[in-house]
Amino acid sequence: AIILVALLFLWQKFSQIEVEKKYALVSQELQRCSELTTVKITYSDIVTLKKSAVMGMAKSYSIVKFSGVIRCGIENLGDSRMYIDEGGKGITLRIPVAKILGNDIKEISVFDEQQSIFVPITTQEVLEQVELAREETLKKTLDSGILAESEQQARALLTTILSNMGFLRIDIQN
């Protein structure tokens, strides 16, 4: 009976050390990933600005093409919380919700332009129109369900990583 108790005690200690190792390993990997981009969308658009003076005597226009990239994912995986079961075979991971990580303009070029000194189109006006188009693209992207897709991609990726670490039961939540 004493030997059985001693073996049980050793088994529990060994299991506890294994769980602590796995906890440290998962924690280290999550901290190293930090920002996780799971969906990246490239887009382009054309903005047209037209101005005319009184009675249409003087006209100006600019046609500007721009492209950008929207990135979605988990802003900081280090904010995740986890629980590893006593046997070290199951893990519950609570990750932050997906967010828009960036909506960056990559290129702007003037496609066509005609300027009149009486009704000039300023660079500021062009940039304001590009910003409005960029915001509209972001809104359409959000309406399409991109954040849910981003969270699904994050779960799939983390499930693969945790499975490769030896976990048999994986539960990832937001």
Side-chain angles (χ1 to χ4, degrees):
I2 294 175
I3 294 174
L4 188 57
V5 170
L7 286 173
L8 184 59
F9 177 75
L10 287 173
W11 175 254
Q12 286 177 338
K13 274 297 191 193
F14 177 73
S15 292
Q16 182 180 2
I17 290 170
E18 246 345 270
V19 169
E20 288 173 6
K21 279 182 178 177
K22 283 189 172 187
Y23 186 89
L25 180 62
V26 172
S27 181
Q28 178 184 359
E29 290 301 312
L30 291 176
Q31 290 293 331
R32 190 173 4 175
C33 285
S34 188
E35 183 177 284
L36 176 64
T37 300
T38 54
V39 177
K40 188 174 168 180
I41 298 172
T42 303
Y43 63 93
S44 63
D45 202 352
I46 294 176
V47 174
T48 305
L49 286 91
K50 296 179 185 177
K51 283 180 145 182
S52 60
V54 180
M55 309 251 288
M57 297 300 256
K59 296 179 183 178
S60 292
Y61 69 87
S62 269
I63 301 173
V64 178
K65 181 180 179 184
F66 71 96
S67 61
V69 175
I70 296 174
R71 294 177 299 109
C72 305
I74 309 300
E75 189 173 41
N76 187 358
L77 272 178
D79 291 342
S80 300
R81 301 289 172 245
M82 74 180 110
Y83 169 76
I84 299 175
D85 67 18
E86 288 182 23
K89 298 294 181 192
I91 184 170
T92 300
L93 185 61
R94 182 169 241 112
I95 60 175
V97 296
K99 295 180 178 181
I100 298 296
L101 301 175
N103 181 10
D104 305 315
I105 299 295
K106 294 297 180 187
E107 182 181 352
I108 296 178
S109 58
V110 176
F111 189 67
D112 193 11
E113 183 176 55
Q114 178 181 341
Q115 292 284 345
S116 166
I117 58 170
F118 301 110
V119 283
I121 295 175
T122 66
T123 303
Q124 183 62 35
E125 290 172 314
V126 171
L127 293 177
E128 287 170 1
Q129 289 300 311
V130 167
E131 181 62 22
L132 288 172
R134 183 178 80 94
E135 288 173 8
E136 182 62 27
T137 300
L138 178 60
K139 183 183 178 310
K140 288 178 184 175
T141 301
L142 286 169
D143 291 346
S144 75
I146 194 72
L147 294 179
E149 180 185 339
S150 183
E151 287 177 358
Q152 182 181 10
Q153 293 289 340
R155 279 191 212 95
L157 177 65
L158 291 169
T159 298
T160 300
I161 291 170
L162 294 169
S163 177
N164 288 336
M165 292 176 135
F167 290 102
L168 302 176
R169 291 177 307 281
I170 301 166
D171 181 26
I172 300 175
Q173 308 167 353
N174 291 95

